[in-house]
Amino acid sequence: MSIIALAAAAATACTALLGPPIDPARPYKQTGEFELVKDYTFGRSRKDATIDTRAKLDQEFFYRYIYENGKLDGLKTYWSYHRDYPDGDPRSLHVFDDCTLTLKGRIPPGGGLKPRGLESGMLRGKLPVTDGMYIEMRAKLPTGVGAWPAFWLNPGVQYPDGKFSELPWPPEIDIFEFFNWQGRPETRVMTGYVQTHKNPERYGPPKDLWTKFKKNEYIPGFDFSADFHVFSLDWVKDQPIWLLDGEPIKQTYYVWSKPVPAHILVTNQLGMILKGVDVSSMKADESQWNYAIDYIRVWRRKQ
């Protein structure tokens, strides 16, 4: 088959999987004038891909948390830890196919369903993110008890020379988290909020201006692991707006008073170490733990 025919076949396959390409000129279903800041569109064979190799991914993302000199490989609240095996390594947790980038989860030799018994992929963006930006990702999420996919903004920046800004956590802005714990084998219950670590007096009190969430949960009635959906945060200064598939679902008053920008995190977290949470019915099924990403894009609204 010729190169042209292969490219056409790949484009047809991507359209079948993802639908028609979403124009990066502006956020999904939004009006107004936007300036595109970054377009991370993933896929090995897509005509519109901006990141189609591991080398290009390395230019834009890290694979550990910003703490411990950028080497922290997990949090104490979940079982999996993060690795970035070389491109082409069969253990890779950052896998390109024709149309997407998938953050994998796997059980390494000697591992299992226990703390640090699993490995999973993550992305930490190098782009400094500030209020006034619009952050968006289109993805299909992992499933099964114990899956805990997240998409969030965390304060602090790692500079190109390797040095770090001040790292004043909290706050963080969780664009989404899905906690698949007891009674939740499917990825249906979305949370999203400003995290102040139960200390709003110290870190500022978030206050919802309006919301479709009930008790901090939004349940639109479908399984987010069954298809791709668009998750967005319109970071309006002091009044961020959460959107799902282009529709606003919540707006919160919160003043980001920290002296540093944030960075994007996409974390495929597996297993849970949370008080009162039971994930004993979690299955050792690596096929459930794929976190597939179509694109991540960032804009700034034109004044």
Side-chain angles (χ1 to χ4, degrees), residues 135-154:
I135 304 98
E136 183 169 287
M137 177 174 69
R138 188 166 188 251
K140 183 166 71 170
L141 304 183
T143 191
V145 171
W148 182 1
F151 176 36
W152 43 306
L153 302 178
N154 197 50

Side-chain angles (χ1 to χ4, degrees), residues 148-170:
W148 182 1
F151 176 36
W152 43 306
L153 302 178
N154 197 50
V157 178
Q158 183 173 351
Y159 298 113
D161 63 2
K163 295 180 180 179
F164 297 85
S165 71
E166 183 181 348
L167 303 177
W169 185 91

Side-chain angles (χ1 to χ4, degrees), residues 129 133-136 151 153 175 231-233 235 264 297:
V129 178
M133 290 184 173
Y134 192 111
I135 304 98
E136 183 169 287
F151 176 36
L153 302 178
I175 302 173
F231 306 91
S232 312
L233 182 84
W235 195 355
I264 293 170
R297 293 170 181 159

Side-chain angles (χ1 to χ4, degrees), residues 2-233:
S2 69
I3 293 176
I4 294 175
L6 287 170
T12 299
C14 291
T15 299
L17 175 67
L18 302 170
I22 295 176
D23 185 358
R26 61 175 51 83
Y28 184 58
K29 290 187 177 180
Q30 304 309 297
T31 58
E33 294 297 320
F34 291 85
E35 175 189 3
L36 182 64
V37 178
K38 280 287 184 178
D39 176 10
Y40 311 115
T41 298
F42 303 106
R44 189 175 51 208
S45 303
R46 294 172 61 173
K47 186 176 181 180
D48 62 338
T50 62
I51 297 184
D52 56 3
T53 66
R54 175 58 185 270
K56 292 181 181 178
L57 192 69
D58 292 347
Q59 292 173 6
E60 301 292 348
F61 295 95
F62 298 105
Y63 311 104
R64 303 285 195 283
Y65 289 106
I66 200 168
Y67 309 105
E68 298 180 5
N69 291 316
K71 297 179 181 179
L72 181 66
D73 66 3
L75 300 178
K76 295 179 180 179
T77 50
Y78 59 87
W79 294 349
S80 59
Y81 61 101
H82 304 298
R83 286 290 176 267
D84 53 341
Y85 295 106
D87 193 24
D89 191 307
R91 300 170 296 173
S92 178
L93 301 166
H94 304 83
V95 177
F96 287 93
D97 62 17
D98 284 341
C99 311
T100 62
L101 169 70
T102 297
L103 307 183
K104 307 286 287 187
R106 62 185 295 270
I107 303 172
L113 301 181
K114 59 186 180 180
R116 293 190 73 83
L118 302 169
E119 297 178 338
S120 61
M122 72 167 290
L123 299 174
R124 169 165 58 94
K126 298 181 180 183
L127 175 71
V129 178
T130 61
D131 57 26
M133 290 184 173
Y134 192 111
I135 304 98
E136 183 169 287
M137 177 174 69
R138 188 166 188 251
K140 183 166 71 170
L141 304 183
T143 191
V145 171
W148 182 1
F151 176 36
W152 43 306
L153 302 178
N154 197 50
V157 178
Q158 183 173 351
Y159 298 113
D161 63 2
K163 295 180 180 179
F164 297 85
S165 71
E166 183 181 348
L167 303 177
W169 185 91
E172 67 187 54
I173 300 178
D174 296 323
I175 302 173
F176 72 67
E177 292 182 287
F178 287 81
F179 296 88
N180 288 11
W181 50 31
Q182 57 263 50
R184 294 182 181 175
E186 296 181 332
T187 310
R188 291 180 174 272
V189 182
M190 177 180 175
T191 66
Y193 39 72
V194 178
Q195 172 66 264
T196 59
H197 201 49
K198 299 181 180 180
N199 198 341
E201 295 79 12
R202 182 174 181 181
Y203 301 112
K207 181 180 180 181
D208 287 343
L209 301 175
W210 62 269
T211 181
K212 293 184 178 181
F213 289 66
K214 295 181 179 179
K215 296 183 178 180
N216 289 325
E217 295 182 338
Y218 182 53
I219 310 174
F222 46 77
D223 185 349
F224 287 84
S225 70
D227 204 352
F228 286 82
H229 291 276
V230 179
F231 306 91
S232 312
L233 182 84

